[in-house]
Amino acid sequence: MKLIVIRSEKGNISYSDIVDGELSQTVKKISEEVLKEWDPELSDFIVLKDAREVDLPLPLKPELVDMLRRIGSLGRKSSKAIVRFPIYTISFENMMVDEDKYIENKIYLIAPYINDDIKAELESEAMEITSQKSPPSGIETE
């Protein structure tokens, strides 16, 4: 299976590639490699699994349909396919600055490769997460 592996550091993409592999094994392998960089005195080490939903224009190529059925759910709404797929975030240089600000300096995003548009969206998301402008999505502030 083709996977997207993105590393972002302080608002910049330092690595982005499409690799062949099995999703869970690739997440484990990268987690093991990143553990060598992680400083437990300064940061948490977090591996999060989430699901992403995107709309894709129809028709889809048969190979893409097969892959999407294997990795997640595939539905249809009007003239679009609705795809739900897993995405992993590995955060290994992060800190709570104060009660309402959490900063992630270095992360990996790993997900199945669907197309270049989604890859670009994930790269943009990775840069935003590590940009230090705001807390990552899912972190509530008051």
Side-chain angles (χ1 to χ4, degrees), residues 56-74:
L56 297 175
L58 293 173
L60 300 177
K61 294 181 180 179
E63 315 83 61
L64 181 58
V65 170
D66 291 343
M67 187 271 292
L68 293 172
R69 285 186 176 146
R70 283 193 312 271
I71 62 162
S73 65
L74 179 62

Side-chain angles (χ1 to χ4, degrees), residues 1-140:
M1 166 186 299
K2 300 255 184 241
L3 304 172
I4 303 168
V5 178
I6 301 166
R7 179 176 171 142
S8 182
E9 300 180 27
K10 297 183 179 179
N12 296 301
I13 299 298
S14 59
Y15 176 84
S16 180
D17 203 4
I18 300 167
V19 301
D20 287 314
E22 196 271 318
L23 185 58
S24 62
Q25 292 304 314
T26 301
V27 170
K28 288 179 182 181
K29 179 183 173 200
I30 292 172
S31 296
E32 289 173 3
E33 292 171 8
V34 171
L35 271 172
K36 297 171 189 168
E37 293 182 54
W38 173 55
D39 184 346
E41 298 294 321
L42 300 176
S43 171
D44 294 330
F45 185 89
I46 304 165
V47 180
L48 296 171
K49 179 183 181 187
D50 200 359
R52 185 64 46 91
E53 189 171 285
V54 297
D55 297 342
L56 297 175
L58 293 173
L60 300 177
K61 294 181 180 179
E63 315 83 61
L64 181 58
V65 170
D66 291 343
M67 187 271 292
L68 293 172
R69 285 186 176 146
R70 283 193 312 271
I71 62 162
S73 65
L74 179 62
R76 183 178 176 154
K77 183 177 182 181
S78 172
S79 63
K80 295 185 178 184
I82 309 297
V83 178
R84 188 171 172 90
F85 62 92
I87 181 169
Y88 289 84
T89 303
I90 303 170
S91 175
F92 58 99
E93 187 176 298
N94 50 61
M95 70 179 89
M96 186 69 76
V97 177
D98 56 42
E99 284 186 23
D100 64 347
K101 185 154 184 175
Y102 183 81
I103 295 174
E104 293 190 87
N105 289 317
K106 296 180 182 179
I107 65 162
Y108 273 90
L109 288 184
I110 305 165
Y113 174 78
I114 296 172
N115 64 32
D116 286 340
D117 291 337
I118 293 172
K119 180 178 183 268
E121 285 179 31
L122 294 177
E123 288 171 341
S124 178
E125 179 179 326
M127 288 187 297
E128 182 160 331
I129 290 170
T130 61
S131 72
Q132 301 182 15
K133 292 180 184 172
S134 63
S137 60
I139 302 295
E140 294 184 20

